[in-house]
Amino acid sequence: MSKPVLGIMTLYLDQRKKLEERHIYEHMIKEGKEMGLDVYVFTPSDVNNSKGLINAMEYDPDNRGWSRRWRSFPNMIFDRCRIQKSPRFQQLLSFRSRYRHLLFLNRPLRNKWTIHQILSTKKRFRPHLPVTRIVSSTSDIHRMLENHPTVYFKPINGTGGRGILRITKVPGVTGTYEVRGRNHNRSIIKPKRMPSGYLAQYLSGWGNKDRYLVQEGIQLELPDGRVHDYRMLVQKNGSGQWKVTGCVGRVGALRSVTSNLHGGGRATMMDELLSKWIEDPVQSANIRKEAEALGVDIAQFLDGQYGGLCELALDLAIDKTGRVFLLEVNPKPSREVFSQVGDMAAYRESMVKPLEYALWVYNQKKNAKNA
């Protein structure tokens, strides 16, 4: 009896066909084999449309080696493709359009602004959403700064902290702003002070055609000046139910306005970081429970709105009063945060859950067909 087949779809990082998460795929293929799931890896450029075949990458856990073989299309596709500015991303868009009838475990999510708007329609989510506006002109930023001492200026499709600026009113110096952040290569820029009238000129040269949001800044600086937040992974399990796999604290690099690990941040256990921020252990425990309930609620809601989701990473902030904020939703989460803090159980679970969910989906479809 043939095994169900799962194709993990990703993108090469460069012309040399480098894969970003090869070691993750090795783990998933090994775990899949033990579960009775046949797993291979491919990219849209490996697809021969005329023959209906895929030049798949296969991993042999026994010999610890990779090889290629022409394969039929899989029963299910686990889309791990992140946004790239390359011809490879255009190939991806063509693949998704051409093969939209195939069974995807996780469809692409909308941009940050659309997600914010749809969550804002529900009263229960509003207390957890920082005030956010789409930027049509610099006056939108000035209006936000009238009500908030700090705002964040971020691209609606940005990832990894790229192109994010923090704009702060300089205390005691009327009409002057300090701008910090990261450029589009993720490098930390030198802080700049400027009069409010110069802000429009500065932002117009920021060098990205993407649209931007301006978002209320939440005070998240630790005593040493580093910013921090939390990355929560929420996934569907082998019964199709959303569950929290784990949550890890992130502390940004020195002088960074974001906590992204790729930008020099470090991961730490959530409870350890939260206990330093909220010293009352009872309050701290309640905040964690609230954050986890919020994560599952948001995942269920977005899945109901858009369908075709199986995992989401939520970037959460907790202010000094213990209020939980949703900063961002990421549909293509990394798993390394768990290994970096030594939570190997959550690390393994983060890779196994999509496989268990894939088997559940496959069996649901098969049972419906046989009914």
Side-chain angles (χ1 to χ4, degrees):
M1 187 174 176
S2 61
K3 294 179 181 179
V5 182
L6 175 68
I8 301 176
M9 183 169 70
T10 185
L11 291 177
Y12 296 124
L13 292 179
D14 53 30
Q15 297 299 323
R16 292 176 293 174
K17 298 189 174 182
K18 181 183 176 184
L19 290 181
E20 183 179 14
E21 297 183 314
R22 187 185 293 268
H23 62 291
I24 298 287
Y25 305 143
E26 290 173 359
H27 279 291
M28 293 183 73
I29 289 169
K30 181 175 181 291
E31 295 280 1
K33 186 177 182 181
E34 293 173 4
M35 280 181 209
L37 184 63
D38 180 4
V39 184
Y40 67 72
V41 179
F42 75 101
T43 79
S45 63
D46 299 321
V47 178
N48 186 316
N49 294 315
S50 59
K51 293 183 178 178
L53 294 172
I54 295 174
N55 193 18
M57 291 171 270
E58 298 181 320
Y59 177 70
D60 184 345
D62 297 323
N63 298 322
R64 297 184 179 182
W66 286 87
S67 60
R68 293 253 186 195
R69 184 158 64 102
W70 287 99
R71 299 283 306 263
S72 300
F73 275 70
N75 301 111
M76 299 157 289
I77 295 175
F78 183 40
D79 185 343
R80 288 291 300 159
C81 301
R82 297 184 175 122
I83 293 173
Q84 276 187 13
K85 289 187 175 165
S86 72
R88 295 181 293 276
F89 193 73
Q90 298 308 311
Q91 283 183 317
L92 168 66
L93 298 180
S94 298
F95 179 92
R96 285 173 175 166
S97 176
R98 181 173 190 144
Y99 297 106
R100 63 167 66 93
H101 61 282
L102 296 179
L103 179 53
F104 286 82
L105 298 184
N106 54 333
R107 298 277 180 181
L109 205 57
R110 303 299 182 91
N111 65 49
K112 294 181 179 76
W113 176 237
T114 306
I115 296 300
H116 178 85
Q117 285 182 302
I118 196 73
L119 290 173
S120 297
T121 62
K122 296 300 174 185
K123 186 178 179 180
R124 68 184 187 274
F125 294 138
R126 287 178 205 148
H128 302 288
L129 301 175
V131 178
T132 305
R133 301 281 181 267
I134 193 80
V135 176
S136 301
S137 69
T138 319
S139 60
D140 296 308
I141 300 171
H142 288 298
R143 276 195 291 272
M144 282 282 281
L145 283 162
E146 288 174 6
N147 299 312
H148 307 283
T150 298
V151 299
Y152 278 79
F153 178 72
K154 54 171 71 171
I156 62 172
N157 288 312
T159 58
R162 293 178 179 86
I164 293 180
L165 296 177
R166 186 178 72 188
I167 305 166
T168 304
K169 288 190 283 192
V170 178
V173 188
T174 305
T176 302
Y177 300 141
E178 181 183 76
V179 179
R180 293 174 175 261
R182 292 180 180 272
N183 63 22
H184 296 96
N185 294 322
R186 218 156 33 196
S187 300
I188 295 174
I189 63 171
K190 186 177 179 181
K192 297 181 186 297
R193 285 194 175 192
M194 62 188 70
S196 60
Y198 183 68
L199 189 62
Q201 182 182 341
Y202 181 81
L203 295 180
S204 68
W206 193 229
N208 194 326
K209 294 176 183 176
D210 202 354
R211 299 200 70 190
Y212 280 79
L213 301 175
V214 59
Q215 191 172 75
E216 165 194 3
I218 301 158
Q219 207 291 304
L220 299 173
E221 289 190 352
L222 297 166
D224 64 2
R226 296 172 190 257
V227 298
H228 77 292
D229 62 15
Y230 302 88
R231 166 60 66 92
M232 177 178 288
L233 179 61
V234 190
Q235 297 176 295
K236 283 183 180 173
N237 63 14
S239 303
Q241 302 297 310
W242 285 100
K243 300 289 181 183
V244 174
T245 300
C247 190
V248 172
R250 304 186 302 178
V251 179
L254 197 62
R255 294 185 294 278
S256 173
V257 302
T258 64
S259 65
N260 303 79
L261 302 186
H262 286 300
R266 62 178 175 85
T268 183
M269 296 296 282
M270 179 185 186
D271 289 341
E272 179 185 331
L273 185 59
L274 186 57
S275 66
K276 292 177 182 176
W277 188 246
I278 304 290
E279 294 181 3
D280 180 351
V282 175
Q283 186 188 9
S284 182
N286 288 336
I287 289 168
R288 175 153 193 162
K289 287 178 186 174
E290 180 189 356
E292 291 182 350
L294 176 67
V296 170
D297 196 3
I298 287 172
Q300 289 173 336
F301 175 73
L302 291 177
D303 193 29
Q305 291 292 310
Y306 299 114
L309 300 176
C310 76
E311 62 177 8
L312 293 172
L314 308 181
D315 290 345
L316 303 173
I318 298 167
D319 71 10
K320 268 295 187 184
T321 70
R323 184 175 168 190
V324 181
F325 289 90
L326 173 70
L327 300 178
E328 210 164 286
V329 179
N330 184 339
K332 308 295 178 190
S334 64
R335 289 144 170 79
E336 283 75 12
V337 287
F338 299 114
S339 62
Q340 287 175 10
V341 298
D343 190 348
M344 301 314 292
Y347 183 56
R348 179 179 178 272
E349 197 177 341
S350 71
M351 294 180 278
V352 169
K353 268 188 181 173
L355 305 176
E356 293 174 338
Y357 175 63
L359 280 173
W360 179 79
V361 169
Y362 178 81
N363 288 325
Q364 292 287 110
K365 293 280 183 184
K366 187 171 72 171
N367 292 339
K369 193 175 181 181
N370 296 334

